[in-house]
Amino acid sequence: MAIAFAAPRLARIAVVLLAFSLLAGARAEDAPQPQPAATPSGQKSGGTGGRGAGTPGSPSAAEQHRLPPDSTTRQTLALPGRTLNFSATAGSIHLFDDKGEPQADIAYTAYQLDGADARTRPVTFLFNGGPGASSAWLQFGAAGPWRLAINAEAAASSAAPDLLPNAETWLDFSDLVFIDPVGTGYSRFVATGEDVRKRFYSVDGDVSAIALVIRRWLEKYDRLLSPKFVAGESYGGIRGPKIVRNLQTQQGVGVRGLILVSPLLDFRDYSGSSLLQYVASLPTMAAVAREAKGPVTREDLAEVERYARGEFLLDLVKGQADAEATSRLADKVAALTGIDQAVSRRLAGRFDAGEFRREFDRRNGRVTGRYDASVTGFDPYPDSSDSHFGDPSGDPLTAPLTSAAVDLTTRKLNWRPDGSYHLLNGDVGRAWDFGRGRNPTESVSELRQVLALDPKLKLLVGHGLFDLATPYFATKIVLDQLPAYASPNRVKLVVYPGGHMFYSRDPARQAFRSEVQALMK
């Protein structure tokens, strides 16, 4: 699935090994030797970020927290029309500060096809968002060798977490490395103190750490010559362009393509008092209303898109001081969304995601999903004046996804870390430094930079029509502002019936896989 955006207002719009490191020829990155700090340039670890104290002969606090050695197993996957033989490695990359002291172990799961030429075989690095989300949604929902049926329309916490062969896996045309940032999956800090957490739990520190993990993995497996791709979902829209930029300019790693799944690119325009948040979400709300009557495609929303960026925006700008404009837009919004006209007038036609989710089917005591607003569930407190409901399109996936991830890692891949697996760690989101004020959280600047720096780099963005967490039209608005060098043959937006995890629907997953494969040719 994707991710919950943390931070007060943002919560509303948005809320994996037989070991090689024990051998005599252990890789350099698995030993506590000085390495580039996984922090922004010039930042130091501070006095509280080093090894913990211990009695003579006892392991340090850091060593007690380390993940076990990597485990590599041989796997065979029988799929329609072909059989894939590959290695699966569950393990970790160890990050150190500039003094050579361990900071964090970052867990990954890698799949590499047998018999491929490493010089020409693509490798794709994938991560989700949150912040605080593991990579399980992309691995078990879209791209990995095995898939969990996570159709939001039939989601249930008690669903069997059975992983089945994924006919739409990307492994046919790219090796895959799924990365869990620190605090997610089994990834963990091995240093103590708040300084190290503050660095990693920040926009810049997070980007530096993941970019370094990518470079270390490429070095570890002699894949620096391979064509490289980066894929991120949701908050991965912030991470992705920034990581590619860091790889290009700080790590010395070129990237062929960037794949963004249901991304958020700019927090500034779609939160707070910005009027653009209403423009961005209106086509999605209209799509939900139309889906209730029958199948809908983006083409069916062409007129809504024109209205949203035209007359609707003009009336919004006029403000409630213009009663005629306010009534006009409120009535139009009611007609497009099916929400009671009186309610729309009371809210001046300005629905945020939470208000739409409750009002859309309030007469039947149901609320829509945030990740997929075409999915509805019971409102546990339908008579309350406050909102006390979760997400019927996302919350039921937590249990089966967690169980599936743990079972695959420990049983099939034979990697058994201690501690708990975190599918979505709310503590990470709550502690996250979004850099508001001096450094507003957006990645459009880096997106412009990476596309300008490398004319061969391509961008593919996929969205779901019914996603209220990161509406597709918000991305459309951003991409339309890019200079001419971001031509249609380099930058492509595709939109499918579905939600934030649009790949949970078979047709969308199949179509998006074809787009990704075409990007890598």
Side-chain angles (χ1 to χ4, degrees):
M1 135 180 163
I3 23 261
F5 303 121
R9 172 61 183 173
L10 300 178
R12 297 181 62 192
I13 68 162
V15 216
V16 188
L17 294 163
L18 299 173
F20 292 142
S21 61
L22 291 181
L23 299 177
R27 304 281 184 172
E29 68 271 25
D30 290 329
Q33 299 176 3
Q35 298 181 11
T39 61
S41 178
Q43 274 192 305
K44 303 299 182 180
S45 63
T48 60
R51 293 184 176 89
T55 59
S58 68
S60 67
E63 292 303 318
Q64 291 175 343
H65 285 82
R66 304 308 291 262
L67 288 172
D70 296 3
S71 173
T72 298
T73 57
R74 315 303 302 181
Q75 303 287 340
T76 297
L77 192 68
L79 297 171
R82 80 271 197 203
T83 298
L84 301 181
N85 297 301
F86 58 98
S87 65
T89 300
S92 63
I93 298 293
H94 309 320
L95 298 183
F96 303 84
D97 65 11
D98 51 4
K99 297 177 182 179
E101 296 183 342
Q103 302 291 286
D105 286 356
I106 307 300
Y108 69 88
T109 309
Y111 303 104
Q112 299 185 71
L113 195 68
D114 291 352
D117 182 356
R119 293 176 63 94
T120 59
R121 171 76 173 171
V123 57
T124 303
F125 298 89
L126 306 95
F127 41 82
N128 275 79
S134 72
S135 60
W137 286 277
L138 282 178
Q139 179 172 184
F140 303 126
W146 299 280
R147 189 176 68 85
L148 183 69
I150 59 171
N151 193 328
E153 296 175 305
S157 296
S158 58
D162 297 330
L163 288 174
L164 303 174
N166 181 16
E168 287 76 47
T169 180
W170 301 1
L171 189 57
D172 291 85
F173 49 84
S174 175
D175 291 339
L176 306 169
V177 183
F178 297 91
I179 300 172
D180 293 333
V182 66
T184 75
Y186 287 113
S187 297
R188 60 192 60 180
F189 291 106
V190 294
T192 58
E194 287 301 311
D195 287 357
V196 65
R197 282 164 173 76
K198 289 181 179 179
R199 288 199 309 277
F200 280 80
Y201 288 171
S202 69
V203 175
D204 292 338
D206 170 72
V207 166
S208 296
I210 298 177
L212 183 57
V213 167
I214 292 174
R215 196 188 86 185
R216 289 297 187 221
W217 189 93
L218 290 167
E219 293 170 340
K220 184 173 184 175
Y221 290 98
D222 299 324
R223 298 297 299 271
L224 283 167
L225 300 182
S226 301
K228 292 162 282 290
F229 296 83
V230 170
E233 179 178 345
S234 202
Y235 179 80
I238 297 293
R239 280 182 170 138
K242 292 178 179 291
I243 287 172
V244 172
R245 179 66 172 165
N246 185 289
L247 289 169
Q248 288 176 330
T249 63
Q250 302 298 317
Q251 306 298 336
V253 174
V255 175
R256 293 280 187 91
L258 174 60
I259 303 158
L260 298 178
V261 179
S262 305
L264 179 117
L265 298 169
D266 194 337
F267 277 104
R268 301 171 303 174
D269 290 340
Y270 311 113
S271 61
S273 61
S274 173
L275 297 177
L276 280 179
Q277 62 180 306
Y278 306 114
V279 177
S281 61
L282 183 60
T284 290
M285 295 176 181
V288 174
R290 295 194 183 193
E291 176 74 2
K293 301 176 182 178
V296 61
T297 66
R298 186 186 173 197
E299 288 71 24
D300 299 325
L301 299 171
E303 185 56 40
V304 180
E305 291 184 9
R306 282 192 291 269
Y307 170 70
R309 71 197 315 171
E311 183 182 349
F312 179 66
L313 178 57
L314 288 174
D315 282 347
L316 280 174
V317 171
K318 292 175 183 177
Q320 297 190 52
D322 189 325
E324 182 179 350
T326 300
S327 295
R328 180 169 58 242
L329 77 86
D331 292 349
K332 182 69 172 181
V333 168
L336 290 173
T337 64
I339 291 178
D340 185 85
Q341 183 185 61
V343 174
S344 186
R345 285 201 171 193
R346 174 168 58 82
L347 295 174
R350 294 157 168 83
F351 287 85
D352 67 19
E355 290 162 339
F356 174 83
R357 291 177 58 202
R358 192 171 202 199
E359 296 296 340
F360 180 72
D361 197 19
R362 190 167 189 171
R363 65 178 67 88
N364 294 313
R366 301 181 71 85
V367 295
T368 80
R370 174 170 171 262
Y371 290 120
D372 188 337
S374 71
V375 176
T376 65
F378 292 113
D379 185 343
Y381 297 94
D383 300 323
S384 174
S385 59
D386 295 324
S387 300
H388 299 290
F389 53 84
D391 186 347
S393 68
D395 294 352
L397 302 176
T398 300
L401 268 173
T402 300
S403 297
V406 172
D407 182 67
L408 176 76
T409 303
T410 60
R411 184 179 57 83
K412 198 175 189 68
L413 303 187
N414 197 33
W415 197 55
R416 296 179 174 83
D418 59 4
S420 298
Y421 174 91
H422 294 285
L423 179 77
L424 181 59
N425 190 344
D427 289 341
V428 176
R430 285 184 288 271
W432 200 261
D433 179 6
F434 284 91
R436 291 186 297 270
R438 182 177 63 87
N439 294 308
T441 308
E442 57 88 16
S443 62
V444 182
S445 301
E446 287 81 7
L447 187 58
R448 285 172 170 255
Q449 294 282 356
V450 300
L451 289 168
L453 181 64
D454 187 347
K456 294 183 178 180
L457 188 149
K458 294 186 177 182
L459 170 67
L460 172 65
V461 184
H463 269 286
L465 279 175
F466 315 127
D467 180 8
L468 283 173
T470 58
Y472 80 90
F473 202 54
T475 295
K476 170 63 175 173
I477 293 171
V478 169
L479 296 183
D480 283 348
Q481 309 308 311
L482 296 178
Y485 60 75
S487 55
N489 65 319
R490 295 186 64 197
V491 175
K492 186 172 186 179
L493 170 65
V494 291
V495 184
Y496 307 104
H500 199 69
M501 296 78 73
F502 60 82
Y503 47 75
S504 69
R505 303 191 183 197
D506 294 347
R509 185 176 62 259
Q510 294 159 1
F512 192 63
R513 178 188 186 272
S514 297
E515 294 286 355
V516 174
Q517 185 174 17
L519 177 75
M520 296 186 183
K521 285 184 178 180

